[in-house]
Amino acid sequence: MKPGIHPEYRPVVFRDRSSGTAFLTRSTVASRGTIQWEDGHEYPVVDVEISSASHPFWTGRARTADTEGRIARFERRYKKQ
């Protein structure tokens, strides 16, 4: 393996801008800012627009499509007479 060709893999905090939650994980993403974490250490922070804390699918606020109405409308429109 060639030395120096891989990016640095380090702890990074991802902060959800819409919900305000933050996750500490490991990543190679570059960051300009830092944040003081709960353990007292300072980590790079990356702000994201949406995460599992604010995504409608994961929070249970997702809308379901009215498939029954669409199927009934199709059958009414194209049923054989």
Side-chain angles (χ1 to χ4, degrees):
M1 191 160 82
K2 295 180 183 179
I5 63 169
H6 296 286
E8 181 185 359
Y9 188 64
R10 65 191 185 290
V12 175
V13 174
F14 286 92
R15 183 172 49 195
D16 188 337
R17 293 175 58 166
S18 60
S19 70
T21 58
F23 305 94
L24 177 64
T25 186
R26 295 184 60 86
S27 179
T28 61
V29 69
S31 174
R32 292 185 181 157
T34 59
I35 189 171
Q36 185 81 21
W37 191 243
E38 300 161 353
D39 62 1
H41 291 95
E42 197 165 296
Y43 296 106
V45 64
V46 176
D47 288 324
V48 293
E49 295 294 325
I50 195 162
S51 70
S52 62
S54 62
H55 193 279
F57 179 80
W58 298 109
T59 59
R61 292 181 281 154
R63 296 183 304 168
T64 57
D66 181 23
T67 56
E68 182 179 346
R70 294 167 75 191
I71 293 170
R73 190 169 48 238
F74 176 82
E75 288 174 347
R76 276 197 316 269
R77 190 177 295 162
Y78 297 108
K79 78 177 184 182
K80 293 185 180 186
Q81 297 181 22

mmCIF file of all heavy atoms in Angstrom, residues 36-80:
data_model
loop_
_atom_site.group_PDB
_atom_site.id
_atom_site.type_symbol
_atom_site.label_atom_id
_atom_site.label_comp_id
_atom_site.label_asym_id
_atom_site.label_seq_id
_atom_site.Cartn_x
_atom_site.Cartn_y
_atom_site.Cartn_z
ATOM 1 N N GLN A 36 -17.258 21.611 20.414
ATOM 2 C CA GLN A 36 -16.931 20.949 21.674
ATOM 3 C C GLN A 36 -17.977 19.863 21.897
ATOM 4 O O GLN A 36 -19.166 20.139 22.004
ATOM 5 C CB GLN A 36 -16.980 21.982 22.812
ATOM 6 C CG GLN A 36 -16.544 21.455 24.151
ATOM 7 C CD GLN A 36 -15.036 21.420 24.280
ATOM 8 O OE1 GLN A 36 -14.338 22.117 23.569
ATOM 9 N NE2 GLN A 36 -14.556 20.614 25.175
ATOM 10 N N TRP A 37 -17.569 18.604 21.978
ATOM 11 C CA TRP A 37 -18.493 17.485 22.129
ATOM 12 C C TRP A 37 -18.732 17.203 23.606
ATOM 13 O O TRP A 37 -18.067 17.746 24.485
ATOM 14 C CB TRP A 37 -17.945 16.265 21.389
ATOM 15 C CG TRP A 37 -18.933 15.146 21.249
ATOM 16 C CD1 TRP A 37 -18.830 13.902 21.776
ATOM 17 C CD2 TRP A 37 -20.172 15.161 20.542
ATOM 18 N NE1 TRP A 37 -19.925 13.146 21.434
ATOM 19 C CE2 TRP A 37 -20.770 13.902 20.678
ATOM 20 C CE3 TRP A 37 -20.853 16.128 19.811
ATOM 21 C CZ2 TRP A 37 -21.994 13.577 20.118
ATOM 22 C CZ3 TRP A 37 -22.070 15.798 19.248
ATOM 23 C CH2 TRP A 37 -22.627 14.537 19.397
ATOM 24 N N GLU A 38 -19.657 16.316 23.904
ATOM 25 C CA GLU A 38 -20.061 15.983 25.273
ATOM 26 C C GLU A 38 -18.927 15.403 26.110
ATOM 27 O O GLU A 38 -18.936 15.509 27.331
ATOM 28 C CB GLU A 38 -21.225 14.996 25.236
ATOM 29 C CG GLU A 38 -22.430 15.545 24.510
ATOM 30 C CD GLU A 38 -23.393 14.458 24.076
ATOM 31 O OE1 GLU A 38 -23.059 13.261 24.216
ATOM 32 O OE2 GLU A 38 -24.470 14.813 23.586
ATOM 33 N N ASP A 39 -17.949 14.783 25.463
ATOM 34 C CA ASP A 39 -16.846 14.165 26.201
ATOM 35 C C ASP A 39 -15.723 15.158 26.513
ATOM 36 O O ASP A 39 -14.697 14.784 27.079
ATOM 37 C CB ASP A 39 -16.283 12.967 25.437
ATOM 38 C CG ASP A 39 -15.708 13.336 24.075
ATOM 39 O OD1 ASP A 39 -15.715 14.528 23.721
ATOM 40 O OD2 ASP A 39 -15.255 12.421 23.371
ATOM 41 N N GLY A 40 -15.895 16.431 26.127
ATOM 42 C CA GLY A 40 -14.907 17.454 26.408
ATOM 43 C C GLY A 40 -13.877 17.662 25.319
ATOM 44 O O GLY A 40 -13.103 18.606 25.390
ATOM 45 N N HIS A 41 -13.850 16.802 24.315
ATOM 46 C CA HIS A 41 -12.907 16.949 23.213
ATOM 47 C C HIS A 41 -13.504 17.840 22.124
ATOM 48 O O HIS A 41 -14.719 17.980 22.005
ATOM 49 C CB HIS A 41 -12.560 15.583 22.620
ATOM 50 C CG HIS A 41 -11.755 14.732 23.540
ATOM 51 N ND1 HIS A 41 -12.337 13.798 24.361
ATOM 52 C CD2 HIS A 41 -10.427 14.691 23.773
ATOM 53 C CE1 HIS A 41 -11.392 13.201 25.059
ATOM 54 N NE2 HIS A 41 -10.221 13.729 24.728
ATOM 55 N N GLU A 42 -12.657 18.401 21.309
ATOM 56 C CA GLU A 42 -13.080 19.233 20.202
ATOM 57 C C GLU A 42 -12.932 18.441 18.901
ATOM 58 O O GLU A 42 -11.879 17.863 18.642
ATOM 59 C CB GLU A 42 -12.229 20.500 20.142
ATOM 60 C CG GLU A 42 -12.848 21.583 19.312
ATOM 61 C CD GLU A 42 -12.189 22.914 19.548
ATOM 62 O OE1 GLU A 42 -12.266 23.424 20.673
ATOM 63 O OE2 GLU A 42 -11.581 23.412 18.584
ATOM 64 N N TYR A 43 -14.010 18.400 18.112
ATOM 65 C CA TYR A 43 -14.034 17.631 16.874
ATOM 66 C C TYR A 43 -14.433 18.531 15.708
ATOM 67 O O TYR A 43 -15.145 19.520 15.900
ATOM 68 C CB TYR A 43 -15.052 16.487 16.969
ATOM 69 C CG TYR A 43 -14.719 15.454 18.012
ATOM 70 C CD1 TYR A 43 -15.431 15.388 19.203
ATOM 71 C CD2 TYR A 43 -13.702 14.537 17.807
ATOM 72 C CE1 TYR A 43 -15.129 14.438 20.164
ATOM 73 C CE2 TYR A 43 -13.395 13.580 18.759
ATOM 74 C CZ TYR A 43 -14.114 13.536 19.933
ATOM 75 O OH TYR A 43 -13.818 12.597 20.871
ATOM 76 N N PRO A 44 -14.038 18.161 14.488
ATOM 77 C CA PRO A 44 -14.531 18.880 13.309
ATOM 78 C C PRO A 44 -16.040 18.679 13.186
ATOM 79 O O PRO A 44 -16.556 17.604 13.516
ATOM 80 C CB PRO A 44 -13.808 18.229 12.134
ATOM 81 C CG PRO A 44 -12.739 17.395 12.717
ATOM 82 C CD PRO A 44 -13.079 17.127 14.130
ATOM 83 N N VAL A 45 -16.749 19.694 12.728
ATOM 84 C CA VAL A 45 -18.203 19.593 12.588
ATOM 85 C C VAL A 45 -18.588 19.840 11.135
ATOM 86 O O VAL A 45 -18.013 20.685 10.456
ATOM 87 C CB VAL A 45 -18.936 20.582 13.523
ATOM 88 C CG1 VAL A 45 -18.626 22.017 13.173
ATOM 89 C CG2 VAL A 45 -20.425 20.350 13.509
ATOM 90 N N VAL A 46 -19.558 19.036 10.656
ATOM 91 C CA VAL A 46 -20.095 19.174 9.301
ATOM 92 C C VAL A 46 -21.600 19.360 9.441
ATOM 93 O O VAL A 46 -22.286 18.526 10.045
ATOM 94 C CB VAL A 46 -19.799 17.920 8.447
ATOM 95 C CG1 VAL A 46 -20.454 18.038 7.080
ATOM 96 C CG2 VAL A 46 -18.311 17.711 8.313
ATOM 97 N N ASP A 47 -22.121 20.466 8.926
ATOM 98 C CA ASP A 47 -23.559 20.727 8.957
ATOM 99 C C ASP A 47 -24.213 20.083 7.751
ATOM 100 O O ASP A 47 -23.772 20.266 6.625
ATOM 101 C CB ASP A 47 -23.835 22.224 8.964
ATOM 102 C CG ASP A 47 -23.479 22.863 10.292
ATOM 103 O OD1 ASP A 47 -23.685 22.222 11.334
ATOM 104 O OD2 ASP A 47 -22.982 24.005 10.293
ATOM 105 N N VAL A 48 -25.295 19.322 7.995
ATOM 106 C CA VAL A 48 -26.051 18.674 6.925
ATOM 107 C C VAL A 48 -27.473 19.205 6.944
ATOM 108 O O VAL A 48 -27.992 19.612 7.983
ATOM 109 C CB VAL A 48 -26.032 17.134 7.058
ATOM 110 C CG1 VAL A 48 -24.643 16.591 6.838
ATOM 111 C CG2 VAL A 48 -26.565 16.679 8.391
ATOM 112 N N GLU A 49 -28.117 19.210 5.801
ATOM 113 C CA GLU A 49 -29.483 19.726 5.694
ATOM 114 C C GLU A 49 -30.508 18.753 6.259
ATOM 115 O O GLU A 49 -31.504 19.172 6.831
ATOM 116 C CB GLU A 49 -29.820 20.017 4.226
ATOM 117 C CG GLU A 49 -28.985 21.111 3.612
ATOM 118 C CD GLU A 49 -29.256 22.455 4.246
ATOM 119 O OE1 GLU A 49 -30.405 22.727 4.627
ATOM 120 O OE2 GLU A 49 -28.302 23.237 4.373
ATOM 121 N N ILE A 50 -30.284 17.460 6.076
ATOM 122 C CA ILE A 50 -31.252 16.466 6.513
ATOM 123 C C ILE A 50 -30.525 15.206 6.954
ATOM 124 O O ILE A 50 -29.494 14.846 6.395
ATOM 125 C CB ILE A 50 -32.276 16.173 5.393
ATOM 126 C CG1 ILE A 50 -33.474 15.434 5.933
ATOM 127 C CG2 ILE A 50 -31.626 15.447 4.255
ATOM 128 C CD1 ILE A 50 -34.669 15.508 5.022
ATOM 129 N N SER A 51 -31.027 14.568 7.996
ATOM 130 C CA SER A 51 -30.463 13.313 8.490
ATOM 131 C C SER A 51 -31.613 12.427 8.944
ATOM 132 O O SER A 51 -32.784 12.778 8.775
ATOM 133 C CB SER A 51 -29.496 13.581 9.646
ATOM 134 O OG SER A 51 -30.204 14.003 10.781
ATOM 135 N N SER A 52 -31.304 11.314 9.570
ATOM 136 C CA SER A 52 -32.366 10.422 10.043
ATOM 137 C C SER A 52 -33.209 11.071 11.132
ATOM 138 O O SER A 52 -34.341 10.671 11.365
ATOM 139 C CB SER A 52 -31.758 9.123 10.562
ATOM 140 O OG SER A 52 -30.907 9.388 11.664
ATOM 141 N N ALA A 53 -32.696 12.098 11.798
ATOM 142 C CA ALA A 53 -33.452 12.782 12.843
ATOM 143 C C ALA A 53 -34.519 13.711 12.280
ATOM 144 O O ALA A 53 -35.479 14.038 12.980
ATOM 145 C CB ALA A 53 -32.501 13.579 13.730
ATOM 146 N N SER A 54 -34.394 14.122 11.021
ATOM 147 C CA SER A 54 -35.373 15.047 10.453
ATOM 148 C C SER A 54 -36.018 14.553 9.160
ATOM 149 O O SER A 54 -36.916 15.199 8.642
ATOM 150 C CB SER A 54 -34.711 16.401 10.192
ATOM 151 O OG SER A 54 -33.673 16.267 9.250
ATOM 152 N N HIS A 55 -35.589 13.418 8.634
ATOM 153 C CA HIS A 55 -36.146 12.904 7.384
ATOM 154 C C HIS A 55 -37.552 12.354 7.640
ATOM 155 O O HIS A 55 -37.756 11.600 8.593
ATOM 156 C CB HIS A 55 -35.246 11.808 6.814
ATOM 157 C CG HIS A 55 -35.574 11.464 5.403
ATOM 158 N ND1 HIS A 55 -36.608 10.627 5.069
ATOM 159 C CD2 HIS A 55 -35.019 11.856 4.236
ATOM 160 C CE1 HIS A 55 -36.665 10.508 3.761
ATOM 161 N NE2 HIS A 55 -35.707 11.248 3.234
ATOM 162 N N PRO A 56 -38.536 12.706 6.807
ATOM 163 C CA PRO A 56 -39.906 12.257 7.042
ATOM 164 C C PRO A 56 -40.069 10.743 7.087
ATOM 165 O O PRO A 56 -40.889 10.234 7.846
ATOM 166 C CB PRO A 56 -40.683 12.837 5.858
ATOM 167 C CG PRO A 56 -39.887 14.000 5.416
ATOM 168 C CD PRO A 56 -38.454 13.632 5.687
ATOM 169 N N PHE A 57 -39.304 9.999 6.322
ATOM 170 C CA PHE A 57 -39.435 8.538 6.347
ATOM 171 C C PHE A 57 -39.035 7.974 7.701
ATOM 172 O O PHE A 57 -39.710 7.121 8.257
ATOM 173 C CB PHE A 57 -38.578 7.908 5.247
ATOM 174 C CG PHE A 57 -38.649 6.409 5.239
ATOM 175 C CD1 PHE A 57 -39.719 5.759 4.672
ATOM 176 C CD2 PHE A 57 -37.642 5.649 5.816
ATOM 177 C CE1 PHE A 57 -39.796 4.378 4.672
ATOM 178 C CE2 PHE A 57 -37.702 4.267 5.824
ATOM 179 C CZ PHE A 57 -38.784 3.628 5.254
ATOM 180 N N TRP A 58 -37.947 8.453 8.260
ATOM 181 C CA TRP A 58 -37.442 7.911 9.516
ATOM 182 C C TRP A 58 -38.164 8.457 10.742
ATOM 183 O O TRP A 58 -38.150 7.850 11.800
ATOM 184 C CB TRP A 58 -35.944 8.173 9.645
ATOM 185 C CG TRP A 58 -35.163 7.518 8.569
ATOM 186 C CD1 TRP A 58 -34.532 8.136 7.524
ATOM 187 C CD2 TRP A 58 -34.951 6.122 8.377
ATOM 188 N NE1 TRP A 58 -33.936 7.210 6.714
ATOM 189 C CE2 TRP A 58 -34.183 5.956 7.208
ATOM 190 C CE3 TRP A 58 -35.339 4.982 9.074
ATOM 191 C CZ2 TRP A 58 -33.797 4.721 6.738
ATOM 192 C CZ3 TRP A 58 -34.945 3.751 8.592
ATOM 193 C CH2 TRP A 58 -34.190 3.623 7.442
ATOM 194 N N THR A 59 -38.798 9.612 10.627
ATOM 195 C CA THR A 59 -39.510 10.190 11.766
ATOM 196 C C THR A 59 -40.967 9.765 11.813
ATOM 197 O O THR A 59 -41.648 10.047 12.785
ATOM 198 C CB THR A 59 -39.445 11.725 11.732
ATOM 199 O OG1 THR A 59 -40.023 12.183 10.512
ATOM 200 C CG2 THR A 59 -38.022 12.210 11.860
ATOM 201 N N GLY A 60 -41.463 9.130 10.763
ATOM 202 C CA GLY A 60 -42.854 8.683 10.733
ATOM 203 C C GLY A 60 -43.807 9.739 10.219
ATOM 204 O O GLY A 60 -45.020 9.568 10.307
ATOM 205 N N ARG A 61 -43.313 10.827 9.698
ATOM 206 C CA ARG A 61 -44.170 11.890 9.178
ATOM 207 C C ARG A 61 -44.322 11.803 7.668
ATOM 208 O O ARG A 61 -44.767 12.757 7.041
ATOM 209 C CB ARG A 61 -43.601 13.256 9.557
ATOM 210 C CG ARG A 61 -43.684 13.526 11.042
ATOM 211 C CD ARG A 61 -43.134 14.884 11.353
ATOM 212 N NE ARG A 61 -41.670 14.761 11.352
ATOM 213 C CZ ARG A 61 -40.834 15.743 11.107
ATOM 214 N NH1 ARG A 61 -41.285 16.940 10.858
ATOM 215 N NH2 ARG A 61 -39.537 15.551 11.124
ATOM 216 N N ALA A 62 -43.969 10.679 7.069
ATOM 217 C CA ALA A 62 -44.046 10.533 5.617
ATOM 218 C C ALA A 62 -45.505 10.410 5.189
ATOM 219 O O ALA A 62 -46.326 9.800 5.871
ATOM 220 C CB ALA A 62 -43.274 9.308 5.160
ATOM 221 N N ARG A 63 -45.811 11.008 4.050
ATOM 222 C CA ARG A 63 -47.159 10.899 3.507
ATOM 223 C C ARG A 63 -47.233 9.652 2.635
ATOM 224 O O ARG A 63 -46.302 9.319 1.929
ATOM 225 C CB ARG A 63 -47.497 12.122 2.675
ATOM 226 C CG ARG A 63 -47.542 13.382 3.484
ATOM 227 C CD ARG A 63 -47.953 14.547 2.650
ATOM 228 N NE ARG A 63 -47.044 14.678 1.513
ATOM 229 C CZ ARG A 63 -47.252 15.449 0.471
ATOM 230 N NH1 ARG A 63 -48.331 16.173 0.410
ATOM 231 N NH2 ARG A 63 -46.380 15.533 -0.515
ATOM 232 N N THR A 64 -48.352 8.974 2.683
ATOM 233 C CA THR A 64 -48.539 7.809 1.826
ATOM 234 C C THR A 64 -49.409 8.203 0.642
ATOM 235 O O THR A 64 -50.334 9.014 0.769
ATOM 236 C CB THR A 64 -49.207 6.652 2.596
ATOM 237 O OG1 THR A 64 -50.457 7.123 3.128
ATOM 238 C CG2 THR A 64 -48.325 6.185 3.736
ATOM 239 N N ALA A 65 -49.117 7.623 -0.483
ATOM 240 C CA ALA A 65 -49.882 7.913 -1.687
ATOM 241 C C ALA A 65 -51.217 7.188 -1.630
ATOM 242 O O ALA A 65 -51.336 6.091 -1.072
ATOM 243 C CB ALA A 65 -49.104 7.480 -2.917
ATOM 244 N N ASP A 66 -52.225 7.774 -2.201
ATOM 245 C CA ASP A 66 -53.561 7.182 -2.223
ATOM 246 C C ASP A 66 -53.632 6.194 -3.382
ATOM 247 O O ASP A 66 -54.196 6.475 -4.423
ATOM 248 C CB ASP A 66 -54.602 8.287 -2.365
ATOM 249 C CG ASP A 66 -56.015 7.753 -2.361
ATOM 250 O OD1 ASP A 66 -56.234 6.651 -1.824
ATOM 251 O OD2 ASP A 66 -56.904 8.432 -2.902
ATOM 252 N N THR A 67 -53.020 5.022 -3.197
ATOM 253 C CA THR A 67 -52.967 4.055 -4.295
ATOM 254 C C THR A 67 -54.325 3.416 -4.553
ATOM 255 O O THR A 67 -54.644 3.089 -5.685
ATOM 256 C CB THR A 67 -51.943 2.947 -3.996
ATOM 257 O OG1 THR A 67 -52.270 2.343 -2.760
ATOM 258 C CG2 THR A 67 -50.539 3.519 -3.942
ATOM 259 N N GLU A 68 -55.134 3.238 -3.514
ATOM 260 C CA GLU A 68 -56.440 2.620 -3.735
ATOM 261 C C GLU A 68 -57.307 3.508 -4.619
ATOM 262 O O GLU A 68 -57.969 3.038 -5.537
ATOM 263 C CB GLU A 68 -57.140 2.377 -2.398
ATOM 264 C CG GLU A 68 -58.482 1.684 -2.552
ATOM 265 C CD GLU A 68 -59.149 1.442 -1.230
ATOM 266 O OE1 GLU A 68 -58.479 1.557 -0.198
ATOM 267 O OE2 GLU A 68 -60.356 1.126 -1.245
ATOM 268 N N GLY A 69 -57.310 4.787 -4.375
ATOM 269 C CA GLY A 69 -58.087 5.707 -5.192
ATOM 270 C C GLY A 69 -57.575 5.782 -6.613
ATOM 271 O O GLY A 69 -58.360 5.899 -7.560
ATOM 272 N N ARG A 70 -56.290 5.695 -6.794
ATOM 273 C CA ARG A 70 -55.715 5.753 -8.132
ATOM 274 C C ARG A 70 -56.083 4.512 -8.931
ATOM 275 O O ARG A 70 -56.390 4.586 -10.125
ATOM 276 C CB ARG A 70 -54.201 5.904 -8.042
ATOM 277 C CG ARG A 70 -53.784 7.230 -7.444
ATOM 278 C CD ARG A 70 -52.349 7.250 -7.078
ATOM 279 N NE ARG A 70 -51.501 7.373 -8.243
ATOM 280 C CZ ARG A 70 -50.195 7.207 -8.237
ATOM 281 N NH1 ARG A 70 -49.574 6.882 -7.118
ATOM 282 N NH2 ARG A 70 -49.490 7.355 -9.325
ATOM 283 N N ILE A 71 -56.064 3.353 -8.277
ATOM 284 C CA ILE A 71 -56.412 2.108 -8.964
ATOM 285 C C ILE A 71 -57.890 2.106 -9.331
ATOM 286 O O ILE A 71 -58.267 1.739 -10.453
ATOM 287 C CB ILE A 71 -56.050 0.893 -8.095
ATOM 288 C CG1 ILE A 71 -54.538 0.805 -7.956
ATOM 289 C CG2 ILE A 71 -56.631 -0.385 -8.675
ATOM 290 C CD1 ILE A 71 -54.081 -0.200 -6.935
ATOM 291 N N ALA A 72 -58.748 2.528 -8.418
ATOM 292 C CA ALA A 72 -60.182 2.573 -8.698
ATOM 293 C C ALA A 72 -60.478 3.545 -9.835
ATOM 294 O O ALA A 72 -61.315 3.257 -10.702
ATOM 295 C CB ALA A 72 -60.942 2.979 -7.442
ATOM 296 N N ARG A 73 -59.815 4.675 -9.859
ATOM 297 C CA ARG A 73 -60.010 5.653 -10.925
ATOM 298 C C ARG A 73 -59.567 5.061 -12.271
ATOM 299 O O ARG A 73 -60.238 5.236 -13.285
ATOM 300 C CB ARG A 73 -59.231 6.915 -10.594
ATOM 301 C CG ARG A 73 -59.549 8.073 -11.493
ATOM 302 C CD ARG A 73 -58.974 9.398 -11.010
ATOM 303 N NE ARG A 73 -57.584 9.304 -10.635
ATOM 304 C CZ ARG A 73 -57.088 9.618 -9.426
ATOM 305 N NH1 ARG A 73 -57.900 10.035 -8.479
ATOM 306 N NH2 ARG A 73 -55.815 9.501 -9.168
ATOM 307 N N PHE A 74 -58.454 4.319 -12.295
ATOM 308 C CA PHE A 74 -57.969 3.680 -13.520
ATOM 309 C C PHE A 74 -58.984 2.647 -14.006
ATOM 310 O O PHE A 74 -59.307 2.583 -15.195
ATOM 311 C CB PHE A 74 -56.621 3.021 -13.256
ATOM 312 C CG PHE A 74 -56.081 2.261 -14.430
ATOM 313 C CD1 PHE A 74 -55.400 2.910 -15.447
ATOM 314 C CD2 PHE A 74 -56.266 0.888 -14.526
ATOM 315 C CE1 PHE A 74 -54.913 2.209 -16.530
ATOM 316 C CE2 PHE A 74 -55.775 0.185 -15.599
ATOM 317 C CZ PHE A 74 -55.093 0.849 -16.611
ATOM 318 N N GLU A 75 -59.496 1.816 -13.081
ATOM 319 C CA GLU A 75 -60.452 0.777 -13.485
ATOM 320 C C GLU A 75 -61.750 1.380 -14.004
ATOM 321 O O GLU A 75 -62.344 0.870 -14.945
ATOM 322 C CB GLU A 75 -60.723 -0.160 -12.312
ATOM 323 C CG GLU A 75 -59.546 -1.054 -12.001
ATOM 324 C CD GLU A 75 -59.748 -1.897 -10.755
ATOM 325 O OE1 GLU A 75 -60.693 -1.620 -9.980
ATOM 326 O OE2 GLU A 75 -58.943 -2.818 -10.555
ATOM 327 N N ARG A 76 -62.210 2.464 -13.374
ATOM 328 C CA ARG A 76 -63.419 3.128 -13.860
ATOM 329 C C ARG A 76 -63.204 3.693 -15.255
ATOM 330 O O ARG A 76 -64.067 3.611 -16.120
ATOM 331 C CB ARG A 76 -63.811 4.272 -12.919
ATOM 332 C CG ARG A 76 -64.620 3.868 -11.731
ATOM 333 C CD ARG A 76 -65.299 5.076 -11.094
ATOM 334 N NE ARG A 76 -64.433 6.240 -10.953
ATOM 335 C CZ ARG A 76 -63.681 6.513 -9.890
ATOM 336 N NH1 ARG A 76 -63.687 5.687 -8.859
ATOM 337 N NH2 ARG A 76 -62.939 7.600 -9.851
ATOM 338 N N ARG A 77 -62.054 4.247 -15.489
ATOM 339 C CA ARG A 77 -61.768 4.907 -16.753
ATOM 340 C C ARG A 77 -61.593 3.911 -17.891
ATOM 341 O O ARG A 77 -62.023 4.149 -19.020
ATOM 342 C CB ARG A 77 -60.513 5.740 -16.615
ATOM 343 C CG ARG A 77 -60.256 6.653 -17.797
ATOM 344 C CD ARG A 77 -59.051 7.507 -17.596
ATOM 345 N NE ARG A 77 -59.248 8.438 -16.488
ATOM 346 C CZ ARG A 77 -58.290 9.080 -15.841
ATOM 347 N NH1 ARG A 77 -57.040 8.896 -16.184
ATOM 348 N NH2 ARG A 77 -58.572 9.900 -14.883
ATOM 349 N N TYR A 78 -60.971 2.761 -17.631
ATOM 350 C CA TYR A 78 -60.590 1.839 -18.702
ATOM 351 C C TYR A 78 -61.255 0.473 -18.630
ATOM 352 O O TYR A 78 -60.834 -0.442 -19.312
ATOM 353 C CB TYR A 78 -59.069 1.666 -18.711
ATOM 354 C CG TYR A 78 -58.351 2.956 -19.016
ATOM 355 C CD1 TYR A 78 -57.660 3.633 -18.013
ATOM 356 C CD2 TYR A 78 -58.365 3.490 -20.291
ATOM 357 C CE1 TYR A 78 -57.011 4.819 -18.275
ATOM 358 C CE2 TYR A 78 -57.711 4.687 -20.560
ATOM 359 C CZ TYR A 78 -57.039 5.344 -19.562
ATOM 360 O OH TYR A 78 -56.401 6.506 -19.816
ATOM 361 N N LYS A 79 -62.305 0.319 -17.811
ATOM 362 C CA LYS A 79 -62.940 -0.993 -17.745
ATOM 363 C C LYS A 79 -63.699 -1.276 -19.033
ATOM 364 O O LYS A 79 -64.235 -0.380 -19.678
ATOM 365 C CB LYS A 79 -63.831 -1.130 -16.527
ATOM 366 C CG LYS A 79 -65.167 -0.470 -16.629
ATOM 367 C CD LYS A 79 -65.971 -0.752 -15.393
ATOM 368 C CE LYS A 79 -67.363 -0.168 -15.542
ATOM 369 N NZ LYS A 79 -68.140 -0.392 -14.360
ATOM 370 N N LYS A 80 -63.753 -2.567 -19.391
ATOM 371 C CA LYS A 80 -64.423 -2.966 -20.631
ATOM 372 C C LYS A 80 -65.934 -2.956 -20.415
ATOM 373 O O LYS A 80 -66.433 -3.372 -19.379
ATOM 374 C CB LYS A 80 -63.953 -4.350 -21.068
ATOM 375 C CG LYS A 80 -62.531 -4.359 -21.464
ATOM 376 C CD LYS A 80 -62.133 -5.692 -21.997
ATOM 377 C CE LYS A 80 -60.668 -5.628 -22.371
ATOM 378 N NZ LYS A 80 -60.221 -6.839 -23.018
#
